[in-house]
Amino acid sequence: MTLSHTGRALADAAPVPYWLDRPDRPDPLPPLAGRHSADLLVIGGGYSGLWAALLAKQADPDRDVLLVDAGTCGWAASGRNGGFCAASLTHGLANGVDRFPEEVGELERLGRDNLDAIAATVAKYDIDCDFERTGELAVAVEPYQLDGLAADADLARRYGHRVRLLDRDEVRAEVHSPTYLGGMFDADRVAMVDPAKLAWGLRRACLDLGVRVHEHTRVTGLRADSAALHASTLGTGPAAQSADPGRVDTRAAGLPGSIRARRVVLATNAFPPLLRRLRAYLVPVYDHVLMTEPLTPAQRDAIGWRNRQGLADTANQFHYYRITTDGRILFGGYDAVYHYGNRVAPELEQRQATFTTLARHFFTTFPQLADVRFSHRWGGVIDTCTRFCPFFGTAYGGRLAYAAGYTGLGVGATRFGARVLLDLLDGGNTPLTRLDLVRRKPLPFPPEPVRAVGINLTRWSLARADAREGRRDLWLRTLDRFGLGFDS
């Protein structure tokens, strides 16, 4: 596929997330200014914060819950992802087995229950988000990947997954691509969802239950009583632990304000954390996505994609893709881009080189769709940690709880994370807070410039492994040995 062809296909693509580019999106809620108080303050209006606010209010309708977000609810990762809502809490079963071998069975059960609870919440609050348990099809596009699929299937069956291996003809009968050599279908552990509509539906459910929600309200610092506890000086020493309640400073539409809260949920994920300690454990990486125009009936027939199952190939630098209810194909992944110094900025969401690469890969996957054009192109930042699944903790003597590090698999896992945060704030010794997943931290990333050098070397090595039939070089094997790595 020529560069001129991909350029034409991308020429009219709007540089905004498709999911958020809708006339029926909810109007923003007013910002918060002045002095306020709450029993529970939730900082961040993505899935993590929305689930925490909703679950807290369900558990205690009399609790005064206040949620604030610097933008609007769902404007960041929660409104611009691929819409894969997975049962896994550990970024896949293999990663869970490697890192939590003694409790992975329990984590798998909790993950299944969590996905069931998301489905029940969608039904209970009549959230119109196209939630459908479609399953996911992993495809091999190189011969060496077939052995990996067989090993994945054996592991999945040991933990009760309903998976089926497909040969070349069987997988192409599901979705026709000349690149497919085989596949593995996981029938019931992944749902497809419209991510922005899910966030907006959770926002509405929170409001209906009495959660106070204020948007365009940026938290600028944390303080304990009258002693400043900004990110640069955050600690858990006696001064921070003795003050109760805390105070959070905000700035909304240029107007200062403050909130006194007995408990705080910090749910800012990939964005620069208000707690300095988190900076060592998180790196923000940018993921990029294309969305096609709706396929015509003839185009849909050409690829035979009759179901709504999600798809992903099995390379280190993998693509994920799915079909929407109006017949568009979302195609994303491959390039996980880190910017020096943990930089996060709106202009980083548009990266023409990555969009061109994705378009070229799309047409390689579906050459029969050569006349398709893309309607939207966008990027978003993912919170990544060295174990590729969430970690948890508290600060201010247990009065603040945080979760981060979902590494792109947070659409489902954030609900579980919210349950953990509320248990931690309650100070209880619960089955969730006793999990190694909750008690242990990932290994930290090194400081700059070693951080950027290591991440970019790892990206280079992953691409090299894909080109060498999956063979991992000395650098990747060393990272595997020490549990410190980078995953696309």
Side-chain angles (χ1 to χ4, degrees):
M1 194 60 60
T2 66
L3 187 61
S4 61
H5 179 268
T6 58
R8 287 193 299 272
L10 288 164
D12 298 322
V16 293
Y18 165 76
W19 310 113
L20 299 173
D21 187 24
R22 288 175 168 149
D24 59 345
R25 62 183 300 168
D27 293 332
L29 294 164
L32 188 71
R35 294 183 178 275
H36 299 268
S37 64
D39 295 328
L40 175 67
L41 171 66
V42 179
I43 304 172
Y47 294 139
S48 291
L50 290 166
W51 280 118
L54 182 66
L55 293 173
K57 201 67 174 176
Q58 287 177 331
D60 182 0
D62 293 328
R63 179 184 289 183
D64 180 20
V65 180
L66 171 61
L67 183 150
V68 297
D69 191 274
T72 57
C73 291
W75 71 276
S78 298
R80 59 183 67 207
N81 60 78
F84 287 65
C85 186
S88 178
L89 306 176
T90 59
H91 207 268
L93 177 57
N95 190 56
V97 170
D98 287 345
R99 300 183 187 278
F100 309 103
E102 300 302 320
E103 66 183 27
V104 67
E106 175 67 3
L107 292 173
E108 288 292 294
R109 182 192 66 78
L110 288 168
R112 289 192 298 271
D113 292 347
N114 185 65
L115 187 59
D116 290 342
I118 292 172
T121 300
V122 167
K124 177 178 180 178
Y125 293 102
D126 194 24
I127 297 175
D128 179 17
C129 61
D130 302 325
F131 184 93
E132 184 180 350
R133 295 179 85 149
T134 60
E136 182 177 20
L137 180 61
V139 296
V141 296
E142 296 287 347
Y144 77 89
Q145 295 171 3
L146 293 170
D147 289 340
L149 283 180
D152 290 344
D154 287 342
L155 180 63
R157 288 169 181 145
R158 289 205 297 272
Y159 287 91
H161 295 204
R162 294 193 300 122
V163 300
R164 181 167 64 94
L165 285 174
L166 291 77
D167 63 23
R168 189 188 72 168
D169 292 341
E170 289 172 324
V171 72
R172 293 184 185 184
E174 290 291 326
V175 181
H176 182 67
S177 168
T179 67
Y180 295 170
L181 304 178
M184 182 185 75
F185 181 58
D186 189 331
D188 60 356
R189 296 183 61 83
V190 175
M192 291 295 107
V193 67
D194 182 314
K197 286 186 176 181
L198 175 59
W200 297 337
L202 292 174
R203 172 188 184 260
R204 177 176 55 81
C206 286
L207 291 169
D208 289 346
L209 290 182
V211 176
R212 292 185 288 145
V213 180
H214 291 272
E215 298 175 324
H216 295 296
T217 302
R218 181 172 61 92
V219 175
T220 59
L222 298 172
R223 305 174 183 272
D225 214 4
S226 59
L229 285 172
H230 301 287
S232 60
T233 58
L234 178 64
T236 57
Q241 295 179 14
S242 62
D244 188 19
R247 191 178 83 196
V248 174
D249 289 341
T250 68
R251 185 165 295 276
L255 299 174
S258 65
I259 305 163
R260 295 180 64 85
R262 296 187 60 199
R263 299 288 184 268
V264 175
V265 164
L266 181 60
T268 52
N269 297 83
F271 290 92
L274 292 165
L275 295 177
R276 174 178 279 275
R277 72 183 72 171
L278 297 183
R279 297 182 182 183
Y281 294 103
L282 288 172
V283 296
V285 295
Y286 276 85
D287 186 44
H288 296 84
V289 184
L290 299 177
M291 183 72 87
T292 72
E293 297 173 330
L295 302 188
T296 66
Q299 290 167 336
R300 189 73 176 264
D301 288 342
I303 60 172
W305 199 339
R306 302 300 176 194
N307 302 309
R308 286 188 61 217
Q309 71 270 46
L311 278 89
D313 59 53
T314 54
N316 290 305
Q317 292 184 291
F318 65 94
H319 309 84
Y320 58 87
Y321 38 121
R322 49 83 55 93
I323 201 156
T324 65
T325 54
D326 63 348
R328 302 169 184 265
I329 295 177
L330 177 147
F331 194 84
Y334 185 75
D335 221 3
V337 183
Y338 173 74
H339 297 276
Y340 187 89
N342 280 22
R343 186 176 172 221
V344 175
E347 59 267 25
L348 302 179
E349 296 169 8
Q350 295 294 316
R351 192 170 190 265
Q352 189 57 44
T354 295
F355 294 136
T356 300
T357 297
L358 282 174
R360 178 167 51 85
H361 292 175
F362 175 87
F363 291 120
T364 298
T365 303
F366 296 122
Q368 61 271 56
L369 300 182
D371 55 343
V372 165
R373 298 172 73 90
F374 299 100
S375 64
H376 294 77
R377 54 181 166 86
W378 71 91
V381 65
I382 294 171
D383 57 328
T384 300
C385 68
T386 57
R387 72 186 193 189
F388 314 132
C389 60
F391 64 92
F392 307 87
T394 61
Y396 302 109
R399 292 184 294 113
L400 179 147
Y402 59 83
Y406 288 94
T407 318
L409 218 65
V411 177
T414 45
R415 182 192 175 278
F416 168 83
R419 290 180 59 206
V420 171
L421 295 182
L422 295 177
D423 277 7
L424 289 172
L425 287 177
D426 287 342
N429 181 17
T430 72
L432 297 187
T433 61
R434 290 194 294 268
L435 291 168
D436 278 351
L437 174 70
V438 174
R439 294 188 296 108
R440 286 167 37 193
K441 293 285 192 298
L443 291 172
F445 288 95
E448 297 288 18
V450 178
R451 177 178 297 197
V453 170
I455 289 172
N456 289 320
L457 176 58
T458 303
R459 292 181 64 223
W460 179 84
S461 293
L462 289 170
R464 187 165 179 255
D466 286 338
R468 298 170 66 238
E469 298 185 336
R471 293 191 297 274
R472 298 171 76 80
D473 61 17
L474 178 61
W475 175 250
L476 293 179
R477 295 197 303 272
T478 301
L479 293 179
D480 292 340
R481 179 181 177 186
F482 290 100
L484 180 66
F486 186 80
D487 194 315
S488 64

